Amino acid sequence: MSILLERRRTRTSLRSRLEALDQGTLVLGLIVAMLILGGLTTQGFLTTGNLSVVLRFSAAIGVVAIAQAFVVLGRGVDLSVGAMALVAGQVTLELMSRGWPELAAIGATVGVALILGLVNGFLVAVVGVPALLATLGTGQLLLGGIKVGLLQTNLYSVSPDALLRRLGMGNILGIPTAVFWLLVVIALSWFCWTYTSFGRLLRAIGDNPDTAWQMGGPVRRVQIGSYLIAALLSAFAGYLIMAREGSVTTTGTAFSPLLFAALTAVVIGGVSLSGGRGSVLGIVAGTIFISLIVNLLTLNSLSPALQDLANALTLVVAIVLDAWLHPRDEETAKSGDL
C-alpha cells in the first residue's frame, strides 16, 4: 500500500512541477533538441536558406493557430478555420478574374469571413450546438457553397503585380514579409489576452463559464467575438498561403493539413482544450515545432502517408499530455464540452 501511495505522490508531484511551467518553455527545449538532431542527420537542414523556408512556412500555420487559440481559450474549437483560409484565396481571385478591383474583392472576402464567424458564434453561444459539430458543418457548407455557386476553375494563379502577392515577397525591417505579419498578429493577440477586458473575460469563460455568466459578463458576445476573430485571422492566413504559393486550388481537402497543423501547434504549445490556459509563447513554440517536423520529413523524402502518420502521432501525444496536465474535474465536465 505504501509503495502505491508513494508512486501516486511521485506522479502528482511530477505533474504539478510540469503544470507550473509554461508549456512553451518545454517545447522550446524540444525545438533545440530537434535542431541538433536534424543538423546531425539531415544534410542542409541547418542552412540559412532552409531555416528561412521554415519561418515562411510557419507564418500561415501560426496565424491559424492564433485564430484557433482565441476559440480554445474560451473552451471552444473551430474546425472551419482551414476552410476559411482556403476560401479566402478562392473568392478573392475569382472575383478579380471577373473584373473586380483587388480591394473590392478583399472586402467581399472579409464579408464572407464575418458571416462565417457570426454563424459559428450564434450556433455555439446562442443555440447551444456543440462547437465541434457546428464548425465542422459550417466549414463544409462554406467550401461546398463557394465551389458550387461561385468558382469557375480548378486552379487560380495570383498575378505578380497583385497587392496580396507582396505578402509573400521581400522583407520588412529585414524580416521576411510573411513572418513580419505573423509577428504583428502575435503582438496584437498578446495585448488582447493580457490587457483587454475581452481577453480577460475570454479566459474567465474558459476557466468556468458558469461563474463568468453569474458575474454578469457578456459571455455570449465574447464567445461570438472569438469566432469572428478566428474567421478573420483564418482569411488572412489564406492570403499568406496564396502569396507564398502563387496559386490557390479548389480541392476541398486542401485545407485539412493547415487545420491539422494549427490545431496541433495550439495543443502542443499548451493552450489547454479544457479552456482558460495558454500563452503566446507556447503557440509560437508549437508552430515552430510543427513546421520543423514537416520540414524534416520533407527533406528526408518520406511519403505523404508516413508524414500524415507522424503528424497524427504528434497530435495524439499533445492531446494526451494536455489531458494529463490539465484533467477535467467534475465541474468542468458539466459545462462547456466541445
Side-chain angles (χ1 to χ4, degrees):
M1 179 67 70
S2 62
I3 295 177
L4 290 176
L5 290 175
E6 182 64 27
R7 288 179 177 174
R8 289 177 182 174
R9 281 196 293 268
T10 301
R11 287 196 298 265
T12 302
S13 176
L14 176 60
R15 184 171 67 187
S16 300
R17 288 196 296 267
L18 290 176
E19 189 176 7
L21 292 174
D22 188 320
Q23 195 163 316
T25 304
L26 300 176
V27 180
L28 285 176
L30 292 176
I31 290 173
V32 172
M34 184 177 295
L35 289 172
I36 295 173
L37 179 63
L40 293 174
T41 61
T42 306
Q43 185 177 3
F45 177 69
L46 287 183
T47 62
T48 303
N50 184 63
L51 294 180
S52 177
V53 169
V54 171
L55 287 177
R56 286 183 168 87
F57 179 79
S58 67
I61 296 176
V63 173
V64 177
I66 292 286
Q68 189 71 258
F70 265 96
V71 178
V72 175
L73 279 173
R75 202 180 293 186
V77 69
D78 191 346
L79 298 186
S80 68
V81 291
M84 187 63 242
L86 179 61
V87 163
Q90 293 175 342
V91 171
T92 302
L93 294 181
E94 171 60 35
L95 293 179
M96 289 175 63
S97 71
R98 298 187 182 191
W100 284 47
E102 186 173 6
L103 291 180
I106 292 173
T109 303
V110 170
V112 173
L114 289 174
I115 292 173
L116 176 67
L118 283 173
V119 170
N120 284 337
F122 178 80
L123 290 176
V124 175
V126 180
V127 181
V129 179
L132 191 71
L133 299 178
T135 57
L136 177 63
T138 57
Q140 293 296 332
L141 283 173
L142 178 65
L143 285 171
I146 292 296
K147 188 169 186 177
V148 172
L150 182 67
L151 304 184
Q152 296 181 346
T153 185
N154 294 323
L155 182 68
Y156 292 90
S157 297
V158 188
S159 170
D161 299 327
L163 175 65
L164 292 174
R165 187 70 173 93
R166 299 172 193 167
L167 291 175
M169 300 172 62
N171 300 287
I172 298 178
L173 302 177
I175 304 171
T177 304
V179 178
F180 174 84
W181 288 116
L182 170 61
L183 294 176
V184 170
V185 171
I186 288 171
L188 293 176
S189 301
W190 171 80
F191 181 83
C192 176
W193 295 339
T194 307
Y195 293 108
T196 68
S197 57
F198 174 89
R200 289 191 291 268
L201 183 54
L202 184 64
R203 287 183 179 272
I205 294 170
D207 285 332
N208 193 316
D210 290 337
T211 300
W213 185 274
Q214 291 168 6
M215 292 175 62
V219 172
R220 287 178 175 170
R221 278 183 288 173
V222 169
Q223 287 178 315
I224 293 173
S226 69
Y227 283 96
L228 276 171
I229 293 172
L232 289 171
L233 287 177
S234 299
F236 183 63
Y239 287 149
L240 291 178
I241 295 173
M242 182 176 70
R244 185 187 74 211
E245 301 293 337
S247 62
V248 177
T249 181
T250 61
T251 304
T253 55
F255 76 93
S256 298
L258 178 64
L259 170 62
F260 198 89
L263 186 57
T264 305
V266 166
V267 179
I268 205 170
V271 181
S272 175
L273 293 176
S274 60
R277 300 180 182 90
S279 68
V280 170
L281 172 63
I283 297 171
V284 173
T287 298
I288 295 174
F289 182 76
I290 294 302
S291 299
L292 286 173
I293 288 179
V294 173
N295 183 257
L296 268 175
L297 296 176
T298 302
L299 288 179
N300 285 280
S301 302
L302 268 68
S303 68
L306 288 177
Q307 293 189 34
D308 291 342
L309 181 62
N311 292 332
L313 180 61
T314 303
L315 178 58
V316 169
V317 170
I319 291 174
V320 170
L321 180 63
D322 175 67
W324 182 62
L325 290 177
H326 312 120
R328 289 192 168 197
D329 54 25
E330 185 176 349
E331 182 179 354
T332 302
K334 291 180 180 178
S335 59
D337 286 334
L338 299 182

